[in-house]
Amino acid sequence: MTAPPPADARPDDPTVAVGVAPPPSERAYRRRITTEIWIVLGLSLGKSGLYAVVNIIDRLTAGPPLGDQTTTLNPSRSPRPWLDLTYQLLQVGFALVPVALALYLLSANGRSAVRRIGLDFVRPWRDLAVGVGLAAAIGIPGLGLYAVARSLGLAVEVQASALNAAWWTIPVLLLAALQNALLEEVIVVGYLMERLRELRWSVPVILVTSALVRGSYHLYQGWGAFVGNAIMGLVFAEYYRRRRRVMPLVMAHTIMDTVVFVGYSLIPAAWIAAIGLN
């Protein structure tokens, strides 16, 4: 049964006739979107950013210089292979839940979220070509920046993978690379930029915000990683602003992480040591 209209309602008010609430005000809409952003970031990369800030403070005050410390990506989670595989797959699966949430929220008006942010396969070869170009343009200078940061003691030593050797090791590393790409590009670029645009933030502020969020959750690797990823964030955010497509960014990110996670094992040990990778 429809609730009765308020006592001070006008008889000619159309919302009284149909028994529906009036549309929210602009202020209420902006407040809701702002709250939504904080929730999505709090469940995903915003949370990672806060942990990374605490982690870098911990590292800087722990005693050993930053350059003498290490961090491990993709650690093994159990000495038993089948349990390790289970943990790795669960990690990938649950990490993608915020991606699903962001896409769901962006599709609230009935429009396809994957089309809205360009996460589709309507032009796969062009997206792949752009992705390869971006991966080369960002990844190669990024390795150089990391090497410089390591030589200056501004970055920790990164162990790209500590998974036990098994038949599933490389497939899991490929899944981890894809998971990182989807999580970061969908949320920090597609979702966040769309929502900030709805809040009518200026373009420069949107670009810088996206870049700083990306840099923040890499702080645990040191200042070099923060700067490098913030620069990457600016480039990716500007590409999205111009093209409104996330798929090339996902491809570029997947390629870069694949090279780090898998490809580095094919590089001579002397080269790896020279750039500070273990």
Side-chain angles (χ1 to χ4, degrees):
M1 180 179 294
T2 302
D8 59 349
R10 301 191 314 273
D12 59 344
D13 189 339
T15 63
V16 174
V18 298
V20 297
S25 65
E26 176 68 18
R27 181 178 180 183
Y29 176 76
R30 291 171 63 88
R31 184 167 58 246
R32 179 190 180 280
I33 293 298
T34 301
T35 302
E36 179 191 292
I37 291 172
W38 282 112
I39 292 173
V40 171
L41 291 180
L43 292 172
S44 57
L45 296 170
K47 176 185 68 176
S48 300
L50 287 177
Y51 274 107
V53 170
V54 175
N55 184 264
I56 192 66
I57 294 173
D58 182 16
R59 289 182 179 277
L60 292 174
T61 58
L66 192 64
D68 293 341
Q69 300 181 43
T70 63
T71 190
T72 301
L73 310 180
N74 305 301
S76 179
R77 301 181 184 278
S78 173
R80 290 181 286 179
W82 70 272
L83 269 179
D84 198 2
L85 174 60
T86 302
Y87 281 128
Q88 299 297 332
L89 294 178
L90 287 174
Q91 168 68 24
V92 171
F94 282 114
L96 291 177
V97 172
V99 176
L101 174 62
L103 293 174
Y104 176 78
L105 293 170
L106 286 178
S107 64
N109 61 359
R111 182 183 177 187
S112 170
V114 295
R115 292 182 181 178
R116 178 177 178 178
I117 65 173
L119 190 64
D120 49 36
F121 291 97
V122 296
R123 51 183 200 184
W125 297 115
R126 185 186 304 179
D127 288 344
L128 179 60
V130 173
V132 171
L134 286 172
I138 297 295
I140 295 174
L143 285 175
L145 177 62
Y146 175 74
V148 171
R150 285 287 298 150
S151 66
L152 296 176
L154 299 176
V156 303
E157 181 180 339
V158 176
Q159 185 175 5
S161 175
L163 288 180
N164 297 322
W167 64 266
W168 47 261
T169 300
I170 290 181
V172 163
L173 291 175
L174 293 176
L175 283 177
L178 179 60
Q179 168 230 295
N180 288 345
L182 286 170
L183 181 63
E184 296 187 35
E185 306 314 327
V186 170
I187 292 181
V188 175
V189 177
Y191 169 80
L192 185 59
M193 292 184 65
E194 287 294 312
R195 285 309 197 217
L196 295 182
R197 189 172 64 86
E198 291 179 24
L199 293 177
R200 300 179 183 176
W201 286 28
S202 67
V203 170
V205 175
I206 292 176
L207 298 179
V208 171
T209 299
S210 176
L212 290 179
V213 172
R214 186 188 296 267
S216 70
Y217 52 79
H218 289 93
L219 262 174
Y220 71 96
Q221 298 177 18
W223 301 112
F226 172 80
V227 173
N229 280 277
I231 294 173
M232 171 181 167
L234 282 174
V235 174
F236 278 24
E238 175 62 15
Y239 177 86
Y240 180 78
R241 185 187 72 84
R242 292 173 178 269
R243 302 298 184 184
R244 302 294 293 276
R245 288 196 61 77
V246 160
M247 183 58 77
L249 308 181
V250 171
M251 291 182 174
H253 198 141
T254 302
I255 292 170
M256 287 187 287
D257 277 10
T258 297
V259 170
V260 173
F261 296 168
V262 180
Y264 90 101
S265 62
L266 306 177
I267 301 175
W271 294 13
I272 296 175
I275 61 175
L277 288 172
N278 185 9

